[in-house]
Amino acid sequence: MTHLPVGRFAPSPTGPLHLGSLVAAVGSWLFARASGGSWLIRMEDLDLPRVVPGMADDILRTLERLGLEWDGEVVWQSRRTELYEAAFETLCDQGMIYPCGCSRSDLARSASAPHPGEDGPPYSGVCRDGLQEGRGARSFRLRVIDEEILFVDAVMGEYRQNLLHACGDFVVRRKDGPFAYQLAVVVDDAAMGVTQVVRGTDLLSSTPRQIHLQRLLGLPTACHAHLPLVTGSGGSKLSKRDCAVSLTQGLHLATDGGRLIVASLEFLGQTVPAEVAAAPCREILEWGRGRFDPTRIPCQSRELTSV
Ligand code: GLU
């Protein structure tokens, strides 16, 4: 029996959906639905200080109204601490975790997915063999290995990374509580039975860390497809505020919904004929599902010009 794919979209409710996250939503929906699979939603609300009240609901209502229907109950990371705790204990029992007393910016941001430029230089490993005199633990780090991790991405192709050289031992938990994105995403993808990880290419370099965790925890590695990013003009970082795709921030679904879905499909290399482009969102998506050709997805990040 062949198993149908299980895809997911994992927004962080730190701002409204924007053009970039919409492309990730449409792309992951297409990969899963094109072969009759299911599509799940996980709210990545671990980074509590950055969560904006009401945003999760806004994202869900917007997805629904754009015809991006998901299966089952929404999974909320903030309610799954016990699962992360159990995985953390397993890693501790393996001797792979150590307390770290260094104060670094990667600590402050560890609960969120690292976006370009947020990873910083590789960790030097000063606390690997014990905390330095007079320093208390600020975080817990996972030991990495001096070995290349290789995977083949469905869009970006072969990707290799030596974790020791790329990032060094990385934070999986802060001393004051929150688990890091890298640990949570691995635990959740496995617990949700996810077999396809489709997301923006800004997370391509996080994937080897996640594969390392999966190997240690004895969890399967899903197929990966990292999608090109939507940039601002001249390749600049997309401003969430300027490109909000949100019901509460002026999105008029009757007029804008179909246009946004068409623009996302075209951004992913799927050419939509004019007679389909004028249809309601659900019909456009249904057309896209039937014709989806992942080999047409371009690798280059660029502006989304046609909206
Ligand atoms: N929550 C992450 C983000 O919004 C995505 C994480 C993932 O897809 O693995 O960037």
Side-chain angles (χ1 to χ4, degrees):
M1 201 180 97
T2 50
H3 293 283
L4 293 174
V6 178
R8 49 65 154 189
F9 175 54
S12 304
T14 52
L17 210 60
H18 56 90
L19 289 176
S21 41
L22 181 65
V23 165
V26 170
S28 57
W29 186 92
L30 284 171
F31 266 96
R33 297 294 194 213
S35 35
S38 44
W39 189 63
L40 313 177
I41 301 279
R42 178 171 71 234
M43 265 309 150
E44 301 214 321
D45 58 348
L46 270 190
D47 194 357
L48 285 175
R50 294 183 62 219
V51 166
V52 179
M55 225 25 102
D57 197 53
D58 186 66
I59 291 172
L60 293 174
R61 296 292 78 78
T62 305
L63 289 173
E64 223 166 46
R65 297 283 296 278
L66 287 170
L68 289 158
E69 279 171 12
W70 59 90
D71 296 295
E73 301 269 314
V74 172
V75 169
W76 300 80
Q77 283 193 325
S78 55
R79 302 176 192 168
R80 296 162 71 81
T81 309
E82 280 160 37
L83 281 180
Y84 311 141
E85 189 77 59
F88 181 75
E89 288 305 320
T90 305
L91 297 167
C92 287
D93 291 347
Q94 293 171 350
M96 294 301 285
I97 300 282
Y98 63 88
C100 172
C102 302
S103 84
R104 284 167 45 104
S105 56
D106 57 351
L107 183 56
R109 301 190 68 89
S110 62
S112 287
H115 293 283
E118 289 178 0
D119 259 342
Y123 176 63
S124 64
V126 277
C127 300
R128 238 185 179 209
D129 301 314
L131 285 170
Q132 289 177 296
E133 277 280 313
R135 282 222 174 152
R138 288 174 180 258
S139 67
F140 295 96
R141 286 185 186 267
L142 180 75
R143 293 175 196 277
V144 300
I145 37 170
D146 184 9
E147 198 178 280
E148 200 164 64
I149 292 187
L150 162 77
F151 72 97
V152 180
D153 188 83
V155 176
M156 300 293 163
E158 209 172 85
Y159 188 81
R160 324 165 165 262
Q161 192 187 72
N162 178 312
L163 288 177
L164 194 65
H165 300 151
C167 61
D169 299 339
F170 58 93
V171 174
V172 286
R173 184 180 199 173
R174 273 175 31 185
K175 180 69 175 60
D176 57 6
F179 288 95
Y181 156 77
Q182 304 290 358
L183 178 73
V185 79
V186 162
V187 170
D188 285 335
D189 279 341
M192 293 162 72
V194 168
T195 62
Q196 279 183 344
V197 171
V198 180
R199 58 189 176 191
T201 193
D202 49 344
L203 291 168
L204 186 66
S205 64
S206 284
T207 303
R209 268 170 276 181
Q210 294 169 14
I211 293 176
H212 178 51
L213 274 162
Q214 284 155 354
R215 290 180 182 165
L216 291 171
L217 294 168
L219 302 173
T221 293
C223 303
H224 287 89
H226 286 88
L227 306 173
L229 299 181
V230 178
T231 66
S233 59
S236 61
K237 195 165 185 275
L238 191 69
S239 140
K240 285 196 178 186
R241 215 171 314 113
D242 293 343
C243 301
V245 177
S246 158
L247 292 176
T248 54
Q249 307 213 1
L251 172 69
H252 298 292
L253 283 164
T255 51
D256 301 336
R259 235 158 20 93
L260 286 166
I261 298 294
V262 171
S264 305
L265 285 167
E266 300 250 342
F267 186 82
L268 293 170
Q270 318 297 306
T271 315
V272 183
E275 65 276 16
V276 176
C281 294
R282 268 166 235 269
E283 280 171 42
I284 305 171
L285 281 168
E286 197 47 34
W287 177 91
R289 191 186 69 76
R291 304 279 190 304
F292 180 50
D293 179 359
T295 65
R296 299 182 65 92
I297 301 176
C299 293
Q300 295 78 25
S301 294
R302 62 204 189 283
E303 278 178 75
L304 196 161
T305 44
S306 55
V307 229

